[in-house]
Amino acid sequence: MLKRRRNQAPPLDDGTHCPVDECMKLLGGSWTPYIIWHLSAGPRRFSELESDIPPISAKVLSTRLKELCTKGVVIRTVQPTSPPSVDYTLSELGRELLPVIKAIVDVGTRLKRTAGACPD
């Protein structure tokens, strides 16, 4: 029987709360990475985001935007126009997620290229 090796990776949490879980709960939501990505270039209105992400339903987009605002990732600003319009922008926290999403896109691109590369 092989001797069990001790894990050398640093701990992810303090035993009561795992930050990886928090981040994955956020990014694991339907369409969330897409919304964050499309807000990366600047403010977008609801209808603009809807057209940026064609398969998303208005209900899901609305729900995700509310969640992202509650978590402090997105800032909702009502513009004093007639009729009023609403802009959504990334907060500082939201901008911190962009390198993570970019890394996921890069790895996904490489995975697509190598799909089927391993023999059976």
Side-chain angles (χ1 to χ4, degrees), residues 13-28:
D13 62 18
D14 60 8
T16 60
H17 175 266
C18 183
V20 172
D21 288 344
E22 283 302 308
C23 198
M24 292 312 296
K25 279 188 231 174
L26 176 73
L27 290 178

Side-chain angles (χ1 to χ4, degrees), residues 1-74:
M1 181 146 155
L2 294 174
K3 180 181 174 187
R4 184 179 170 112
R5 294 176 288 193
R6 188 168 172 260
N7 187 348
Q8 299 296 315
L12 288 173
D13 62 18
D14 60 8
T16 60
H17 175 266
C18 183
V20 172
D21 288 344
E22 283 302 308
C23 198
M24 292 312 296
K25 279 188 231 174
L26 176 73
L27 290 178
S30 302
W31 302 107
T32 300
Y34 295 91
I35 294 167
I36 293 169
W37 187 259
H38 286 289
L39 290 173
S40 67
R44 303 293 284 161
R45 290 189 301 274
F46 186 90
S47 61
E48 293 169 331
L49 285 168
E50 239 180 341
S51 67
D52 289 341
I53 314 166
I56 196 169
S57 70
K59 180 180 180 191
V60 170
L61 179 57
S62 177
T63 301
R64 292 297 167 262
L65 285 169
K66 285 177 188 172
E67 288 171 358
L68 292 169
C69 287
T70 301
K71 297 237 182 225
V73 174
V74 169

Side-chain angles (χ1 to χ4, degrees), residues 33 37 96-110:
W37 187 259
E96 287 181 41
L97 291 167
L98 291 172
V100 174
I101 295 170
K102 173 75 168 100
I104 291 169
V105 168
D106 291 346
V107 170
T109 301
R110 286 194 303 277

Side-chain angles (χ1 to χ4, degrees), residues 79-93:
Q79 299 299 328
T81 57
S82 181
S85 66
V86 176
D87 279 344
Y88 295 93
T89 56
L90 289 178
S91 67
E92 178 82 22
L93 178 61

